Amino acid sequence: MWRDAVLVGGKDLRVELRSRVTTMQVAPYAVLVLLLFGFAFDQNHTLLTQAAPGLFWVAVLLCTLLAVQRSYAVEATDGARDGLRLSGLDPAGIFLGKAAAVAAQLIALEVLLGAGVVVLFGTDLRDPVLLVLTALTATLGLAAAGTVYGMMAAGLRVRETLLPLLVLPVVAPVLLGATQAWMAALRLSTTDGWKWLALLASFAAIYLTLGVLAFSALVEDA
Amino acid sequence: MDPVIRFRSAVALVGRFPVLAGVDLDVTRGEIVLLQGANGAGKTSLLRACAGLLRVAAGEATVLGADLVADPRAVRRRVGLLGHATALYDDLSAADNVRFAVRAAGGSVGAVGPALERLGLTGRLAGASVSSLSAGQRRRVALAAVVARDPELWLLDEPHAGLDAEHRDLLDDLVRDAVERGATVLLASHEHDRAQPLAGRIVTVAGGMVTPTAPPFHPRMTAAHVA
Amino acid sequence: MTGAGTSDRVTRVLGAATLVAVAATAWIGLVVSPPDQTQGELVRLIYVHPAAATTCYVGFGLCALASLAYLWPRTRSRRWDSLAGASAEIGVVFCVITLVSGSIWGRGSWGVWWTWDARLTLTALLLAVFVGYLGLRRTGGDPDARARRSAVAAVLCVLVVPVDHEATTWWQTLHQGNTLLRSNPLIHGWQLVGMLVSFVAFGLLFAWLLVHRYRLELLEDRFDDEGFAAAIAERRAEGAAPVRQTAGQS
C-alpha cells in the first residue's frame, strides 16, 4: 500500500510540476479571493484583521475544491481513469497518494495565502507552533475528505457541481476548528486553540482511516 | 493444455444492459485468438471483462486461474490491455508514462528503455509531453507500456488502428515474440486481412455472445442474482 | 407485495394510527394545553420542534445503518440501499421542519431569524450534508455502483457527526449564544403529555412515509428486474440479424 501511495503521489506531483496548473491558476485565484474579500469588507482594517483567520480558511477551502477537481481531471483524460483501475494498484495506496499530493499543493498555497494575509490584511503572526500545526492538521483533513468525495464524483458528468455540494458541508467543522485555532494563535480570541487542534486531528484521522477502508469500493465504479 | 481464459455463460452488465449475454470461451496458453464481429457485438466488452475491468455478474469466468466473478481485481496486474483510449497522462512524457505503468504493475524499470526503443520512441518522442504527440504516436506509447510490462495475457482492442504500415508490421512482430515467450493474445479487429494471418483461431462475437448457438439461459438468473 | 400499489393492510392501519396521533397532538397542542407564562403561544412549538428533530436524526441514523448493511458483504442487498435512500429523503423533510420551527421559535423569542444555537447549527449542517447525499443518489449510471457510492457517502457523513457536535457546542459556549429549549426547564402537565404524544405522532408519520417510499423504490427495482430476461433476449437478437450479408466468419 505505501509503495503504491508513493508511486501515485509522486506521479500526481510530477504532473503538477509539468503542467503547473496549481502554480499558474489556483495560486492567482487564491490571491484574487483575498483581494475580493478586501473589496467586500470595504478596506475596513480592523474588521479584516479580526476576520483574517476565517477568510484565510475560506480561501483554502475553495482552493481545496479546485485541487481535488484537478487531481481527478488528470485521471480522466483519454480514458486514463480506467488506467488507474487497470494498473492493479492498491486502492488504499491510490487514496493516500492522491491525498498526499493534494495536501502538498495545499500547503504550498497556504504559505502563499499566509503571506497574502499578512500583507493585505495586516495580520501579524504570533504563536507559530499552533499556527503551523493547525495548518498541517486541517490540510490533512481537507485533502483526505476531498479526495474521498472526489473519487465518488469523479466518473459522473455532474461532478463539477456535485463536488462542492458534497465536500463543503462535510468540511465545515474543519473551517470552524481551523479558524478558531488561528484566532487563538493570533490572540484574537480567548478560546483554547489546542482543543480545536484536537478536533481537527480527529477529523483528519477519521477521514484518512475511512478513505483507506472505503477507497477500494469507490474505485470499482466505472 | 493450460487454460488461460475460461468463460461459461458469462453475463456482464453495464447498468441494466447486458453487454455480455452468456459467453462461452476457452483460450489456452500460447494461442492468438481473433475476435470478429459487428460494431456493438461485445468484443470490447469481452476484452474488458478479461482484464477485470467489466464485472462479470453471472456465470463463470476464470482468467489466469483467477475467478473474475469473485474478485476482478486479482487479474489486473497480470494482463495488458490496449484499448481504444490510450489511458496516458497528457502532461507527462512517454518515458514517464511507461515508467509509471511498469512500476504500478510491479515490473522492473529496466524494461522501459528497451520497450521505448523497440517502438521507435526515442529522443524528442520519449521526452516531450504526450499531449504533443500524434494519435498514432500515442498509441505506440500505450503499446510500449504493454511491451514493457510483458504480461501473461495480451488483450488488444483494434490494435492496428491509427498505426502506419511500418508500425503495424512491428505490432505483428511484437505479438509473435510475446507468444514465443509464453504469453497468450486475444485481439479484436476489423482488419481481417492483417489480423487473420496472425491469429491461430478466429471466434465470432454477436449479440453479447460468442458461440453461435445460444447456451441455455437459466430462468433463475434474474437481476436479483447480480445485485 | 401484490398488485402495483404500495398500500396494504399494514400501511392502512399505520396510516390510521398516524392520523389519530397527529390529530391528538394538534388537539392537545392547540386547544387543551395552556400558553406558557414566559413564552406565550410560542411554546406550542414544543409539540413540533423536538419531535421533528428526533425523527430527523432517526431518519439519518437509519440511513447510515442501512448503508452499513449494504456495504457488509454478508448482508449486501439492494433493499438496504432503497431503505437508506428512502430514510434519508424523509429525514431531510423532517430536518427542514426542524429548522423552520426552530427559526420561528428563535424569531419569536429573540427577534432574530437565526441564532447560532449549537443544535440548530448542527441540524443545518446535517441538512446540507444529506442534501448532498441525495444529490449523489440522483446521478445515473450503474445502479450497483451508485448504491455503493451512496452507501460509503452516508457512512462518511454520519461518522463526522460527533465531530460536528463537539465543534458546534464549543462554538456556542464561546459566544454565549441563545439556546432553544433551555428556557423550558419545567415541562409538566398538559405540555408534557402533548410533547410525548407529538413524539408518537411524528414517529408514526415517519414510519408510514418510510414504508411507502421504500416500497416505491422496491417496485421500481422489480420493474427493472423483470425487464432483465427480455434485455438478454433482445441483446442476443442483435447478433442474429446481419445488417448486410458479409463474407462469412470461419
Side-chain angles (χ1 to χ4, degrees):
Chain A
M1 175 178 91
W2 294 107
R3 186 196 76 98
D4 289 354
V6 168
L7 189 60
V8 171
K11 181 261 297 173
D12 273 1
L13 286 177
R14 193 172 303 129
V15 169
E16 170 49 35
L17 273 173
R18 299 274 287 225
S19 66
R20 280 190 269 277
V21 162
T22 308
T23 41
M24 303 292 277
Q25 293 179 21
V26 181
Y29 169 78
V31 175
L32 190 60
V33 166
L34 289 183
L35 273 177
L36 291 177
F37 282 146
F39 298 155
F41 282 75
D42 196 24
Q43 269 190 52
N44 186 328
H45 216 259
T46 5
L47 204 55
L48 281 175
T49 329
Q50 286 283 88
L55 297 178
F56 173 89
W57 284 105
V58 168
V60 170
L61 219 59
L62 295 177
C63 290
T64 308
L65 288 176
L66 287 181
V68 168
Q69 297 268 26
R70 171 68 184 155
S71 175
Y72 285 100
V74 161
E75 303 296 336
T77 55
D78 207 25
R81 230 169 63 82
D82 264 356
L84 261 191
R85 282 205 301 152
L86 189 56
S87 64
L89 288 166
D90 181 11
I94 299 178
F95 167 70
L96 288 175
K98 280 205 158 292
V102 168
Q105 292 173 48
L106 282 181
I107 300 221
L109 284 169
E110 281 165 28
V111 169
L112 177 67
L113 278 173
V117 161
V118 167
V119 166
L120 293 173
F121 298 168
T123 324
D124 58 290
L125 308 175
R126 284 169 245 177
D127 199 353
V129 177
L130 183 57
L131 281 182
V132 169
L133 280 179
T134 308
L136 286 174
T137 325
T139 307
L140 271 180
L142 287 177
T147 305
V148 172
Y149 287 101
M151 185 74 234
M152 269 184 230
L156 309 171
R157 269 167 297 141
V158 293
R159 65 175 171 277
E160 281 98 16
T161 37
L162 188 63
L163 189 67
L165 181 59
L166 285 177
V167 172
L168 291 180
V170 162
V171 300
V174 175
L175 176 62
L176 187 54
T179 305
Q180 290 299 323
W182 271 39
M183 282 176 69
L186 299 175
R187 308 282 188 274
L188 290 169
S189 101
T190 50
T191 185
D192 175 14
W194 298 96
K195 193 171 64 174
W196 291 103
L197 183 61
L199 189 79
L200 291 173
S202 14
F203 183 89
I206 292 177
Y207 266 94
L208 281 171
T209 317
L210 291 182
V212 165
L213 293 175
F215 220 63
S216 62
L218 294 176
V219 165
E220 286 308 307
D221 304 338
Chain B
M1 277 296 141
D2 193 0
V4 165
I5 300 177
R6 187 192 142 89
F7 276 36
R8 291 284 178 276
S9 296
V11 174
L13 304 170
V14 170
R16 300 273 186 208
F17 179 67
V19 287
L20 296 180
V23 168
D24 285 352
L25 183 64
D26 284 289
V27 176
T28 51
R29 183 173 300 278
E31 277 199 273
I32 304 179
V33 176
L34 170 64
L35 299 177
Q36 283 187 348
N39 292 339
K43 305 188 294 298
T44 302
S45 302
L46 184 53
L47 288 172
R48 286 169 60 86
C50 290
L53 283 184
L54 182 62
R55 194 171 71 100
V56 175
E60 273 180 52
T62 315
V63 170
L64 292 171
D67 182 3
L68 290 183
V69 181
D71 180 18
R73 279 196 292 147
V75 84
R76 286 181 196 164
R77 279 191 190 201
R78 302 166 64 191
V79 307
L81 175 67
L82 186 67
H84 289 297
T86 47
L88 298 174
Y89 293 104
D90 274 350
D91 299 295
L92 298 182
S93 69
D96 285 336
N97 268 288
V98 174
R99 196 172 305 127
F100 178 73
V102 168
R103 287 176 67 193
S108 122
V109 177
V112 171
L116 288 171
E117 270 188 53
R118 191 85 201 275
L119 269 295
L121 296 164
T122 48
R124 180 194 84 85
L125 293 181
S129 74
V130 158
S131 55
S132 69
L133 301 180
S134 75
Q137 289 164 337
R138 304 241 284 264
R139 216 106 165 92
R140 281 155 56 194
V141 176
L143 188 53
V146 174
V147 168
R149 287 174 54 212
D150 202 20
E152 296 169 65
L153 174 61
W154 288 42
L155 301 165
L156 306 175
D157 200 353
E158 307 287 347
H160 297 105
L163 295 179
D164 54 32
E166 174 198 343
H167 289 101
R168 289 182 178 191
D169 290 334
L170 179 59
L171 173 63
D172 293 346
D173 288 341
L174 288 170
V175 165
R176 291 197 192 95
D177 286 349
V179 166
E180 250 168 70
R181 284 197 306 272
T184 313
V185 175
L186 185 61
L187 74 144
S189 180
H190 286 299
E191 310 229 356
H192 299 179
D193 299 336
R194 178 164 284 275
Q196 281 183 0
L198 189 58
R201 178 157 66 103
I202 300 175
V203 145
T204 308
V205 181
M209 295 192 318
V210 158
T211 53
T213 51
F217 172 52
H218 293 283
R220 285 183 303 115
M221 204 190 328
T222 61
H225 286 216
V226 312
Chain C
M1 252 187 330
T2 55
T6 56
S7 303
D8 67 356
R9 198 169 47 203
V10 172
T11 59
R12 271 188 268 277
V13 167
L14 194 58
T18 309
L19 212 53
V20 167
V22 169
T25 313
W27 182 63
I28 299 177
L30 294 170
V31 175
V32 173
S33 71
D36 188 66
Q37 285 105 320
T38 36
Q39 296 205 337
E41 299 293 338
L42 205 58
V43 78
R44 299 196 192 279
L45 279 167
I46 205 178
Y47 308 118
V48 172
H49 182 79
T54 313
T55 323
C56 150
Y57 297 152
V58 165
F60 290 155
L62 191 58
C63 173
L65 286 175
S67 297
L68 268 176
Y70 179 80
L71 289 172
W72 195 252
R74 219 162 297 167
T75 50
R76 177 160 302 157
S77 149
R78 211 142 46 228
R79 287 173 175 252
W80 290 119
D81 174 61
S82 304
L83 183 63
S87 227
E89 272 188 28
I90 303 172
V92 162
V93 170
F94 282 98
C95 197
V96 172
I97 296 177
T98 309
L99 289 174
V100 169
S101 56
S103 173
I104 295 176
W105 205 338
R107 172 73 175 169
S109 307
W110 301 293
V112 283
W113 282 111
W114 185 260
T115 64
W116 294 91
D117 170 62
R119 191 154 13 178
L120 217 53
T121 313
L122 181 62
T123 312
L125 258 182
L126 274 181
L127 180 65
V129 164
F130 275 92
V131 165
Y133 168 78
L134 289 179
L136 188 63
R137 285 188 70 86
R138 290 215 192 306
T139 57
D142 181 18
D144 285 314
R146 193 202 57 202
R148 193 171 34 223
R149 251 196 313 258
S150 316
V152 172
V155 172
L156 286 175
C157 291
V158 158
L159 277 175
V160 127
V161 165
V163 174
D164 284 357
H165 176 74
E166 283 306 299
T168 45
T169 314
W170 290 350
W171 200 33
Q172 188 195 320
T173 57
L174 276 182
H175 292 282
Q176 308 303 317
N178 300 305
T179 14
L180 305 172
L181 283 195
R182 236 203 333 215
S183 34
N184 262 314
L186 299 165
I187 305 170
H188 56 278
W190 275 113
Q191 286 183 348
L192 182 61
V193 172
M195 204 169 91
L196 291 175
V197 173
S198 79
F199 270 84
V200 170
F202 273 72
L204 287 174
L205 182 60
F206 175 80
W208 185 76
L209 286 172
L210 184 65
V211 169
H212 277 289
R213 185 69 189 86
Y214 170 63
R215 288 187 178 170
L216 200 59
E217 286 249 359
L218 287 185
L219 273 182
E220 284 176 12
D221 265 3
R222 199 180 78 178
F223 178 70
D224 284 329
D225 277 3
E226 269 153 21
F228 184 66
I232 290 260
E234 217 180 289
R235 173 64 169 150
R236 292 182 175 187
E238 273 177 25
V243 174
R244 238 182 33 194
Q245 211 49 46
T246 49
Q249 283 74 48
S250 35

